């Protein structure tokens, strides 16, 4: 049976690194859009395509995608979706992980254990902070995927004459970080709880069928944000992106994935600089939306809005005749007709634009955005 190839997100790569640092620790990955069975070998690649590790699937559990926090605006219930595959098994390195921020300080199998260490849960305080009094043990800082924050944390630890140890963090919370620090760094971990400021950047993804109203709502949303929010707002409309950023791509599943991956990369870049990206591609597959959420949440907050206008309404609105051509077989792989649209199970907001006016839809999005900003 051939190996299963998996490209890791930044967060997943840190999870792999953490598992490789403790050879007896099994690795668990939640994978979207991957067909895997017990006994399969998964070859794990980083974003550059380097095969960094392999994991043998000792157990495979199908779990439903997260749906917490979903709000319904309009009518209708979303149908159930296939879940994620949660794969667990032993992991082994295939080659070095390559450049990693704070490389010489990162925890690994060769890290010498110490009797005691301090784990800083959030922002590392400056060297003059009173909380440093009496702390002479090595200081464990969490790498959460922000190179600038990690560099600042290491500098603040070393400025005070203490040794920094970098612990890759996959977003499982301070408790999991403390457990990993005990397993890899020290017998006794002193947990120093410090605040973690919420990054200001945001990305809002409006997903739905062609003709659902995404473009109308997104353009109005950008106008409203430009007058009500001090952050810079950028619009990444699906049709406009395809003219330049994704010129030459078709509509196969792979090309659609690449198109939305590019949009997600730009959105995360905007968010990393404290701006707001409003994205309005069709984004029909759960895997691509999940990947965009993972990428953006490395640097800011992500809001997924499902514009759930029924296909019959979208078809009636179609002035270009695309639906008619798709039903006649003239357009292959047309979402909603000859290619599936996977209804989001983890939407933060669902709006049926056949019963909700654009202004009201924008009001609902802004209210939900205010909730996640609170």
């Amino acid at each position: 049976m051939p190996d299963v190839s998996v490209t890791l997100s930044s967060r997943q790569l840190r999870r792999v690194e953490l598992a490789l640092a403790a050879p007896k620790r099994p690795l668990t990955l939640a994978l979207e859009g991957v067909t895997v069975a017990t006994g399969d070998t998964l070859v794990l690649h980083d974003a550059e395509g380097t095969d960094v590790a392999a994991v043998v699937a000792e157990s495979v559990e199908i779990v439903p995608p997260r749906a917490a926090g979903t709000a319904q605006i309009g009518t209708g219930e979303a149908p159930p979706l296939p879940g994620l595959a949660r794969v667990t098994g032993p992991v082994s390195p295939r080659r070095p992980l390559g450049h990693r921020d704070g490389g010489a300080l990162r925890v690994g199998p060769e890290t010498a254990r110490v009797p005691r260490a301090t784990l800083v849960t959030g922002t590392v305080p400056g060297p003059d902070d009173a909380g440093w009094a009496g702390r002479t043990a090595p200081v464990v800082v969490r790498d959460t995927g922000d190179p600038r924050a990690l560099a600042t944390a290491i500098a603040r630890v070393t400025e005070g004459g203490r040794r920094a140890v970098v612990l890759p963090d996959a977003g499982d919370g301070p408790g999991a970080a403390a457990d990993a620090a005990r397993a890899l760094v020290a017998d006794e971990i002193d947990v120093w709880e410090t605040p973690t400021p919420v990054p200001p950047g945001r990305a809002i993804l409006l997903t739905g069928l062609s003709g659902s109203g995404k473009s109308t709502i997104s353009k109005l949303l950008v106008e409203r944000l430009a007058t009500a929010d001090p952050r810079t707002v950028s619009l990444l409309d699906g049709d406009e992106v395809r003219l330049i950023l994704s010129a030459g791509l078709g509509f196969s599943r792979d090309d659609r994935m690449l198109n939305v991956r590019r949009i997600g990369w730009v959105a995360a870049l905007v968010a990393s600089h404290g701006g707001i990206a409003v994205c309005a591609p069709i984004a029909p597959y759960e895997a691509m939306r999940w990947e965009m959420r993972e990428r953006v949440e490395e640097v800011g907050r992500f809001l997924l809005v499902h514009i759930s206008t029924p296909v019959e309404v979208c078809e009636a609105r179609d002035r270009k005749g695309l639906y008619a051509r798709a039903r006649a077989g003239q357009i292959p792989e047309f979402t909603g007709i000859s290619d599936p649209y996977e209804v989001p199970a983890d939407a933060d907001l669902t709006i049926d634009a056949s019963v909700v006016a654009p202004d009201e839809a924008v009001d609902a999005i802004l209210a939900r955005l205010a909730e996640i900003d609170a």
Side-chain angles (χ1 to χ4, degrees):
M1 182 178 296
D3 294 340
V4 179
S5 179
V6 175
T7 299
L8 301 170
S9 67
S10 175
R11 185 176 296 176
Q12 289 173 325
L13 187 61
R14 294 196 301 276
R15 189 181 298 278
V16 169
E17 182 184 2
L18 193 60
L20 290 173
K24 295 183 180 180
R25 177 192 292 260
L27 173 67
T28 297
L29 290 175
L31 304 174
E32 178 73 41
V34 175
T35 301
V36 59
T38 302
D40 285 351
T41 297
L42 282 70
V43 178
L44 309 178
H45 304 270
D46 63 16
E48 289 74 36
T50 303
D51 51 338
V52 296
V55 60
V56 177
E58 290 189 339
S59 68
V60 178
E61 176 190 7
I62 303 300
V63 295
R66 54 186 173 183
T70 299
Q72 295 285 339
I73 304 293
T75 60
E77 291 286 335
L81 280 178
L84 303 173
R86 190 185 301 279
V87 179
T88 301
V91 62
S92 58
R94 290 174 69 94
R95 65 184 70 191
L97 283 169
H99 172 72
R100 308 292 285 156
D101 297 305
L105 305 176
R106 301 184 79 86
V107 70
E110 70 288 347
T111 300
R113 292 182 63 83
V114 294
R116 184 184 180 91
T118 296
L119 169 69
V120 181
T121 61
T123 301
V124 175
D128 296 331
D129 190 282
W132 286 111
R135 299 182 188 273
T136 59
V139 178
V140 181
V141 296
R142 299 160 65 193
D143 172 17
T144 59
D146 185 340
R148 290 172 296 182
L150 180 59
T152 299
I154 293 172
R156 289 180 174 177
V157 171
T158 55
E159 282 173 13
R162 300 170 184 85
R163 180 165 72 90
V165 179
V166 175
L167 184 73
D169 192 294
D172 297 324
D179 289 342
R182 292 186 189 95
L184 300 171
V185 181
D187 299 326
E188 186 175 351
I189 295 295
D190 174 23
V191 178
W192 186 3
E193 295 185 2
T194 62
T196 302
V198 177
R202 303 288 179 266
I204 305 169
L205 171 62
L206 285 75
T207 173
L209 297 173
S210 176
S212 61
K214 301 184 304 300
S215 292
T216 300
I217 295 170
S218 63
K219 290 174 183 177
L220 184 57
L221 175 62
V222 168
E223 291 177 7
R224 294 272 294 276
L225 283 169
T227 60
D229 197 294
R231 291 170 285 196
T232 301
V233 185
S234 302
L235 174 61
L236 301 172
D237 184 81
D239 291 338
E240 294 177 358
V241 166
R242 276 191 170 270
L243 290 176
I244 301 176
L245 188 64
S246 294
L249 293 182
F251 291 89
S252 67
R253 183 180 180 93
D254 287 345
D255 279 1
R256 287 170 186 251
M257 288 289 294
L258 182 55
N259 176 52
V260 176
R261 181 172 291 125
R262 289 174 177 176
I263 293 173
W265 185 86
V266 175
L269 187 63
V270 171
S272 71
H273 292 287
I276 300 177
V278 177
C279 314
I282 292 174
Y285 308 132
E286 187 76 6
M288 60 175 52
R289 299 187 298 259
W290 188 60
E291 180 180 313
M292 185 184 292
R293 181 187 289 273
E294 287 269 302
R295 185 182 296 276
V296 170
E297 287 182 345
E298 295 279 347
V299 294
R301 294 286 183 85
F302 182 79
L303 184 71
L304 175 60
V305 181
H306 176 210
I307 308 301
S308 64
T309 308
V311 64
E312 310 83 55
V313 177
C314 297
E315 193 165 357
R317 292 176 174 176
D318 181 20
R319 291 174 292 182
K320 298 179 181 178
L322 298 177
Y323 280 91
R325 291 171 58 196
R327 289 192 183 279
Q330 298 173 8
I331 303 178
E333 299 175 309
F334 189 83
T335 301
I337 302 299
S338 52
D339 199 67
Y341 178 82
E342 298 173 355
V343 178
D346 63 340
D348 299 290
L349 186 65
T350 299
I351 299 174
D352 182 348
S354 68
V355 297
V356 178
D359 277 325
E360 295 173 347
V362 171
D363 287 341
I365 295 171
L366 291 175
R368 194 74 174 97
L369 186 63
E371 291 177 8
I372 70 169
D373 277 347

